[in-house]
Amino acid sequence: VIIGAHTHRNFPEFKVSNILYSQADYHGIYLGRVDLVFDTEKGRVVKRQSNTLLMDEHIPLDGEILKLTGAEIERAENMSTNRLGEATDDFWIRALPHKETPVHDLIFKAIADTLREAGTKVDVIVHGINERRYGLKKGAITVGDVWKVVPYENTVGVVQLTPAELREVLDEDAETYNNPAFRGIWGLKWTFDPEAKAGQRTTALVHADGSPLDEKQRLAVAFNSYDLASGGRRWKRLRELVDRPEAKLVEYDFQTREAVIDYIRRRGTIVPTLGDWWTARRGSPANHASETK
C-alpha cells in the first residue's frame, strides 16, 4: 500500500498490479481510509481496499479536538492579524509566472537585507514566487498577508559560483520560463532566449550598471533550500554544483517568510518597485523584436 500526498489530487483507490495507492487530496479536505484484512493462518494480507471521505458540512467538528486546540487556534489568529506596516500601493502579481513583479523585488530585498544583518553580502539572489493567487494590497500589511504570499518554510543558503556556472544554472531556469517553476534573479542583469537550445539560452549576464563580469571571480549567490535540493529535480545542475566543496555552501536558519516579515516591520512603509533584472528575448540576437520583461 502506498499512501500518497503532495500533488493535491484525490485518489480514493488506484491499483497497479498488486499495489494499492490512495491519496486524500490536501489540507484535510478529504479523510483517507485504508482497510487491510490479514489472514493469521496464511500469514499474509488477503484483502485491501481504500476510500476517501469528503470533510464537508455533513461531518461535525469534534468537540474534544476543538477544546484541545482552542488556545493554539486563538494564538495563531492573533499572530496572523498582527500589523507589520503599510504598503503605499498594491504589490501585484498579475505578471506571473515569468515577468518580474513588485513581490519578487520585495522578497529579493528582504533576503539581501537579512543576509546583510547576518554579516553576509551577496552578489546575486535567485528566487521565485510559489503562491500565484495573492499579492499585497495597498494599506495595512499583516503577518497573515505575508503567509499567503510566502506559504512555504524554505530557508536560505549561499553558494560561491563562477559566472560560467551561474549561466549553467540560469540555463535550467530559462527552460521553465513559461511555467510557475521559473525563478527571477536580482543583483545582475540577465537576458536570455527561452526557446534557444540547452546551454545557449543566456545571451547576456552583466552587472547592474552593464559592466561585464570577471570570469575568474566567484559570485556569492543565494537560493532557497528547496531549490538548493534540486527543486523537485528541476535544478539538477545546481544540485551538482552545490555538492562540490568549492561551492562553499553556507546555510542560514532564517526562512524567506521571516525575512519578509522582519523587512516590512523594520521599515514600516513599503513601496512597490521593479528592478528590471531579467529580459526574455526570443529569436536570434540580431532580431530582438519580441521582448518580454
Side-chain angles (χ1 to χ4, degrees), residues 50-78:
S50 62
N51 201 0
T52 58
L53 178 64
L54 180 62
M55 296 286 101
D56 59 12
E57 67 276 5
H58 298 99
I59 309 298
L61 297 175
D62 188 288
E64 284 300 311
I65 295 296
L66 289 176
K67 189 184 300 182
L68 289 168
T69 59
E72 285 301 309
I73 291 173
E74 184 179 359
R75 187 172 72 88
E77 290 175 346
N78 290 337

Side-chain angles (χ1 to χ4, degrees), residues 174-193:
E175 187 178 11
T176 67
Y177 180 65
N178 290 315
N179 70 58
F182 180 74
R183 307 298 192 233
I185 188 174
W186 173 95
L188 298 178
K189 298 283 187 176
W190 176 36
T191 306
F192 61 96
D193 181 353

Side-chain angles (χ1 to χ4, degrees), residues 254-276:
F254 69 87
Q255 297 173 9
T256 303
R257 182 196 301 135
E258 292 172 346
V260 175
I261 287 173
D262 291 342
Y263 181 85
I264 298 173
R265 183 181 283 124
R266 284 195 297 268
R267 273 150 186 76
T269 301
I270 54 173
V271 180
T273 58
L274 292 174
D276 289 330

Side-chain angles (χ1 to χ4, degrees), residues 70-134:
E72 285 301 309
I73 291 173
E74 184 179 359
R75 187 172 72 88
E77 290 175 346
N78 290 337
M79 182 192 74
S80 68
T81 57
N82 184 16
R83 189 179 185 278
L84 298 172
E86 185 171 328
T88 60
D89 207 340
D90 291 347
F91 281 69
W92 45 265
I93 57 171
R94 61 182 178 270
L96 285 175
H98 49 268
K99 294 181 182 179
E100 183 182 353
T101 75
V103 176
H104 282 99
D105 213 44
L106 175 64
I107 292 174
F108 292 144
K109 289 177 179 177
I111 291 174
D113 198 61
T114 305
L115 287 171
R116 194 179 301 113
E117 289 288 320
T120 299
K121 181 181 180 300
V122 290
D123 302 298
V124 189
I125 299 171
V126 179
H127 204 287
I129 300 178
N130 300 107
E131 181 50 66
R132 293 169 293 281
R133 291 172 294 174
Y134 304 102

